[in-house]
Each structure stands twice: as structure tokens, then as C-alpha cells.
Amino acid sequence: MIELKNISKIYKTKNGEITAVKDVNLSIHQGEIFGIIGYSGAGKSTMIRLLNGLEKPTTGTVNVNGQEISSISGNKLRQARQKISMIFQHFNLLWSRTVADNIAFPLEIAGVPKSEREQRVKELIDLVGLSGRDLAYPSQLSGGQKQRVGIARALANNPEVLLCDEATSALDPETTDSILELLLDINKRLGLTIVLITHEMHVIRKICHRVAVMEAGQVVESGEVLQVFQNPQAAITKNFVMQVSGAKESKESIEQILVNYPTGKIVKVTFVGNNTEQPIMSQLIKQFNVDVNIVHGNISQTTSGPYGTLIVQIDGEQENVQQALNLLTSLDIQTEVIEHA
């Protein structure tokens, strides 16, 4: 669906060259929600502008649905962009237009007849949950409602790709979740390919199927979200995973328990999928006569299933403790003995 090959983007300034994107290769499948995450300055915004042709790569090619966006211009590019829509962090609505008129705007530009525009607008207002608000102005809407208008407008021309540039960053957590659920619903209903740029791992965890992690213009890690959560490789990815796994909060607890309970083993246990629902700790206590002290625990839901971490102290006879650890390993549960916080 979307193929980026050997993409680099270099800007020339008075102070020299700035490499915003460097040697990026990505494949995004049709109908998936693909997340690109990174901190400020990582190159995310440049990446999304390359996808819709607002920027041309210095080297490499951008192919969207069989069309090389990086090599076309003029009318061909304008036609291609009708199938690549975008929603923004700050909504970018026309404040002098009503909800209905904002949604109709791209249809007007495309020359769609009025009767067809009105029918399409009604369908979209219902789709995004804004029934009864068609005559309201943006100043009369909440942040979440404004973003729903932005989503409806982006869908007006039946795009094949929806680009989301930090689309929830200006929203409170509850409203963020409602917008993410709407995007997930749209993805399932319409089979729309969604590319989502963010600096929040919660956003990735909640709706994305796969993710690419960017740092200093490069993709340092990519893969299925559940796999990245389970086994992050790059340091920056580990930091992002900590945002939603609660691992940072557990450090103080680990330090304290290492002091107070010098015997036994402090173990980080990672559960994936159905294992998160099994009474495995109870099984260890009964089967091996060990004491299990829970230090910290957390379960996160991803689109591919649940992911959980549990930090425990396992104490008892050395042989029994080792047998308990062996059982965890035999159940394909990732375990890590922690010697230091």
C-alpha cells in the first residue's frame, strides 16, 4: 500500500545542511493502522509531509497505492492527494463555517453537486457521532468535537489513506481515548489505511497494529506493537514502553525490596496474550512451596492482545525457587532476574 525506499530529506540552511530523515525504509500494509513515534525533532512531521507530497525526498522514493508520490507534481499530485487525507493537532477548521459546511468544503473543491454533498455530509456527521451539531460553529464545539469534524472532513472524498499528525496531542486523556476509538472504528468499517504520528506510547498501544520508532531522523526499531512492547531493543523504545508499562514507577519499589528482603530472587515477569489471565503465581506457591511477594504489576491492552508485567520476589529453598523459574520459562513466559534497580 505505502512503500518508502531509501528515503532521505536534507534541508539546506544558511548554517549548513540539516538531515531531517535519513535512509528510511518502510512498508505499510493496506487497511492497517501504522504508528510512527518519536520525540520532538525525530523527523516524524517531515515523514508525514513526504507521504502526501508536501515535501519531496532528497533521495529515495515514496509509493502510495501504486503511484510514486515523490515523482509527480501539478494536477497529478492534486488528484493523488484527494486519496490521501490528513487530520491535524489543532483541527484547522474554517471558523466562519458551520460543521456541515466545514465537512462539505473538500467536496465543493472537487466539484461534487450540492445534493450529493448534502447526502455525504449527513452520512459523515452520523459516522463521527455529531448528529444534531451540523449547524454549530467551531467556537461552539469542544476539542473532541472539533477533531471529529476534522475527521469527517478528511473522509469526505473517500480517501484510501488517512494521515494523523499528532491528532490527539491537544486533547485531554478521556477525549483522546474517544477519538482513538473512533479512528479504530473507522479503520474496521471502511478498511482505511491510517498512518498515525505521535510522541505518546499510549496512542500506539491503544489502536496501532505496527509501529516504527524514530530518533534523529532514522527508524531505529519497527514491528508489531505487541512484539515491540514485549521485547524493545533500542533505548528510546524502552523509554516509550515505560510510559505505559509503569516500569519507572517500580524502580523505587525494587530498591526498597532489595534492601528489606535480601533473600530470594527479584524477578520481572512479562505476560503476553492468554497468559495474562492465568493464575500462574498461585501455581508457583502451591507447586514449589515458595513465597511470592508482588512488588509491582501492570496490564496494557494492545490491538493484538494484552501485555502485562509483574515484578515479584520469589523466596524459599534455593532449589524450589529455581524450579519455579524453570516452570515460568517452560510456559514461554519471559523472565528476568533483577540484581540491581
Side-chain angles (χ1 to χ4, degrees):
M1 177 60 175
I2 300 176
E3 193 82 28
L4 285 77
K5 293 184 178 180
N6 304 317
I7 289 292
S8 291
K9 178 62 180 180
I10 300 172
Y11 294 101
K12 294 181 179 180
T13 70
K14 291 185 294 184
N15 299 321
E17 294 184 341
I18 297 174
T19 302
V21 174
K22 183 179 180 182
D23 299 329
V24 168
N25 290 277
L26 278 181
S27 293
I28 299 172
H29 306 148
Q30 185 171 356
E32 77 171 333
I33 303 178
F34 190 93
I36 300 176
I37 189 170
Y39 293 119
S40 179
K44 310 185 303 297
S45 294
T46 301
M47 281 280 286
I48 207 166
R49 291 171 66 85
L50 289 166
L51 289 176
N52 62 11
L54 288 174
E55 296 281 0
K56 298 290 186 184
T58 306
T59 60
T61 58
V62 179
N63 192 294
V64 180
N65 201 24
Q67 188 157 29
E68 195 174 306
I69 298 295
S70 52
S71 66
I72 60 176
S73 58
N75 191 48
K76 283 189 176 181
L77 181 56
R78 284 190 291 273
Q79 289 178 349
R81 282 187 187 145
Q82 288 187 359
K83 295 299 181 182
I84 308 172
S85 284
M86 192 164 176
I87 57 175
F88 308 88
Q89 178 179 358
H90 296 295
F91 322 127
N92 288 15
L93 301 181
L94 299 169
W95 295 90
S96 61
R97 282 179 166 243
T98 63
V99 166
D101 289 340
N102 264 281
I103 297 169
F105 186 60
L107 298 172
E108 292 174 22
I109 294 174
V112 176
K114 184 177 180 181
S115 59
E116 291 182 28
R117 290 203 307 265
E118 290 175 347
Q119 179 60 34
R120 180 62 176 154
V121 168
K122 185 181 183 303
E123 292 171 359
L124 291 166
I125 285 176
D126 291 342
L127 177 66
V128 300
L130 286 177
S131 297
R133 303 294 284 163
D134 50 319
L135 298 180
Y137 287 88
S139 61
Q140 299 170 307
L141 303 178
S142 67
Q145 289 172 329
K146 290 171 187 172
Q147 194 56 284
R148 287 172 185 268
V149 177
I151 292 169
R153 182 182 58 186
L155 297 176
N157 280 318
N158 294 301
E160 296 166 349
V161 178
L162 180 62
L163 306 178
C164 306
D165 189 7
E166 299 279 8
T168 60
S169 295
L171 305 175
D172 62 74
E174 185 176 346
T175 306
T176 290
D177 281 349
S178 71
I179 294 299
L180 294 177
E181 287 164 8
L182 174 60
L183 290 173
L184 190 58
D185 181 59
I186 288 169
N187 168 258
K188 290 177 179 177
R189 284 202 208 185
L190 306 180
L192 191 66
T193 303
I194 298 177
V195 182
L196 198 150
I197 302 291
T198 185
H199 64 273
E200 300 171 299
M201 198 61 176
H202 167 74
V203 172
I204 299 294
R205 174 190 66 77
K206 192 165 180 68
I207 68 168
C208 292
H209 302 111
R210 292 191 301 138
V211 62
V213 183
M214 289 194 73
E215 184 177 29
Q218 294 181 289
V219 173
V220 296
E221 190 165 353
S222 64
E224 293 184 5
V225 170
L226 194 58
Q227 292 177 346
V228 171
F229 264 69
Q230 185 179 5
N231 192 26
Q233 298 297 308
I236 186 173
T237 311
K238 293 176 182 177
N239 286 336
F240 278 127
V241 171
M242 283 180 185
Q243 288 181 6
V244 289
S245 69
K248 286 184 177 179
E249 287 80 356
S250 68
K251 182 176 180 181
E252 186 176 326
S253 300
I254 296 169
E255 289 174 344
Q256 191 63 43
I257 209 152
L258 286 171
V259 171
N260 293 341
Y261 301 92
T263 60
K265 300 284 188 182
I266 301 295
V267 182
K268 179 180 178 181
V269 184
T270 302
F271 300 88
V272 177
N274 292 333
N275 281 333
T276 58
E277 302 171 359
Q278 302 303 314
I280 294 169
M281 293 299 112
S282 176
Q283 183 180 347
L284 293 185
I285 294 169
K286 293 176 181 177
Q287 187 169 343
F288 300 108
N289 192 31
V290 293
D291 294 323
V292 177
N293 181 34
I294 296 176
V295 179
H296 176 85
N298 186 74
I299 294 178
S300 297
Q301 291 293 331
T302 75
T303 53
S304 302
Y307 161 87
T309 58
L310 195 64
I311 296 177
V312 298
Q313 182 207 34
I314 303 178
D315 201 4
E317 296 292 333
Q318 184 173 347
E319 182 179 350
N320 293 349
V321 171
Q322 188 56 53
Q323 287 178 338
L325 293 175
N326 291 343
L327 175 64
L328 292 174
T329 303
S330 71
L331 294 172
D332 289 328
I333 296 172
Q334 186 177 326
T335 60
E336 176 188 356
V337 176
I338 301 173
E339 305 291 346
H340 306 283

